[in-house]
């Protein structure tokens, strides 16, 4: 059971009327996380991976992935929700650029983190760290494949799209490993888990 499931069950508020605002809020968190970035080229470094992991861990695989999908839909519609927008383009044109595979990967990150959270991986620091690292690693499969297809495989794809991001991914996983078990502990102390 995820944090959201636990809190919704405890409050007696479950269903579409509760899920829709939560999914919308999750997509807006992704928008905010995209705007706090370290400029890298061709893929900017932001807190989006952390938020995608957090959405999965907190909301579960379905709601977490829906929040990411809504975020992607907002971007596809031309809203300036992605890192580097509107300066680096908008809408589908931006999504077809070097970051497109990483954007798709956010859905996979939320699904993986949510699946692991549903099995209790977010309840202690060691397994939460493992869940966050595994979920963040998943983004690189579509991300690097897409990046290589866009910029060319003769370019240093790993140096541009993987190596600079590893320290940040480890730090984000450590943050998740601290935050989520602490939330569960807090809920448990209040008899809510």
């Amino acid at each position: 059971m995820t944090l959201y499931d636990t809190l919704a069950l405890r409050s007696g508020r479950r269903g579409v009327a509760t899920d829709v605002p939560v999914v919308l809020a999750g997509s807006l968190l992704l928008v905010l996380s995209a705007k706090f970035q370290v400029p890298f080229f061709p893929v900017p470094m932001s807190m989006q991976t952390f938020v995608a992991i957090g959405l999965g861990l907190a909301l579960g695989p379905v709601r977490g992935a829906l929040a990411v999908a809504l975020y992607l839909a907002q971007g596809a519609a031309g809203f300036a929700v992605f890192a580097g927008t509107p300066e680096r383009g908008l809408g589908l044109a931006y999504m077809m650029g070097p970051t497109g595979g990483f954007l798709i990967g956010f859905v996979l990150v939320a699904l993986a983190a949510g699946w692991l959270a549903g099995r209790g991986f977010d309840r202690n620091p060691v397994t939460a760290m493992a869940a966050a690292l595994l979920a963040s690693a998943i983004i690189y499969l579509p991300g690097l494949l897409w990046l290589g297809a866009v910029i060319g495989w003769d370019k240093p794809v790993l140096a541009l799209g993987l190596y600079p991001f590893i320290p940040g991914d480890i730090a984000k996983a450590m943050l998740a490993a601290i935050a989520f078990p602490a939330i569960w502990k807090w809920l448990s102390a209040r008899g809510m888990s």
Side-chain angles (χ1 to χ4, degrees), residues 14-104:
R14 295 189 68 164
V16 174
T18 308
D19 290 353
V20 169
V22 166
V23 167
L24 178 60
S27 75
L28 296 176
L29 276 175
L30 273 168
V31 173
L32 289 175
S33 69
K35 300 307 175 181
F36 296 99
Q37 61 180 323
V38 176
F40 273 75
F41 180 81
V43 180
M45 183 184 301
S46 71
M47 287 299 288
Q48 289 174 287
T49 309
F50 176 73
V51 172
I53 291 166
L55 289 172
L57 292 176
L59 303 180
V62 174
R63 290 179 202 93
L66 284 173
V68 175
L70 180 58
Y71 166 72
L72 295 177
Q74 293 162 356
F79 294 105
V81 298
F82 300 133
T85 58
E87 303 82 22
R88 294 176 69 189
L90 291 170
L92 292 176
Y94 179 91
M95 294 176 82
M96 298 304 291
T99 62
F102 293 97
L103 293 172
I104 292 166

Side-chain angles (χ1 to χ4, degrees), residues 43-163:
V43 180
M45 183 184 301
S46 71
M47 287 299 288
Q48 289 174 287
T49 309
F50 176 73
V51 172
I53 291 166
L55 289 172
L57 292 176
L59 303 180
V62 174
R63 290 179 202 93
L66 284 173
V68 175
L70 180 58
Y71 166 72
L72 295 177
Q74 293 162 356
F79 294 105
V81 298
F82 300 133
T85 58
E87 303 82 22
R88 294 176 69 189
L90 291 170
L92 292 176
Y94 179 91
M95 294 176 82
M96 298 304 291
T99 62
F102 293 97
L103 293 172
I104 292 166
F106 290 143
V107 176
L108 302 176
V109 166
L111 283 168
W115 185 84
L116 291 166
R119 280 138 189 85
F121 276 70
D122 60 337
R123 294 184 183 224
N124 84 53
V126 173
T127 57
M129 178 87 171
L133 285 173
L134 177 62
S136 66
I138 289 172
I139 199 170
Y140 291 106
L141 182 61
L144 293 173
L145 289 173
W146 189 289
L147 181 61
V150 170
I151 68 169
W153 290 104
D154 59 325
K155 305 288 189 299
V157 173
L158 296 178
L160 294 170
L162 174 65
Y163 301 144

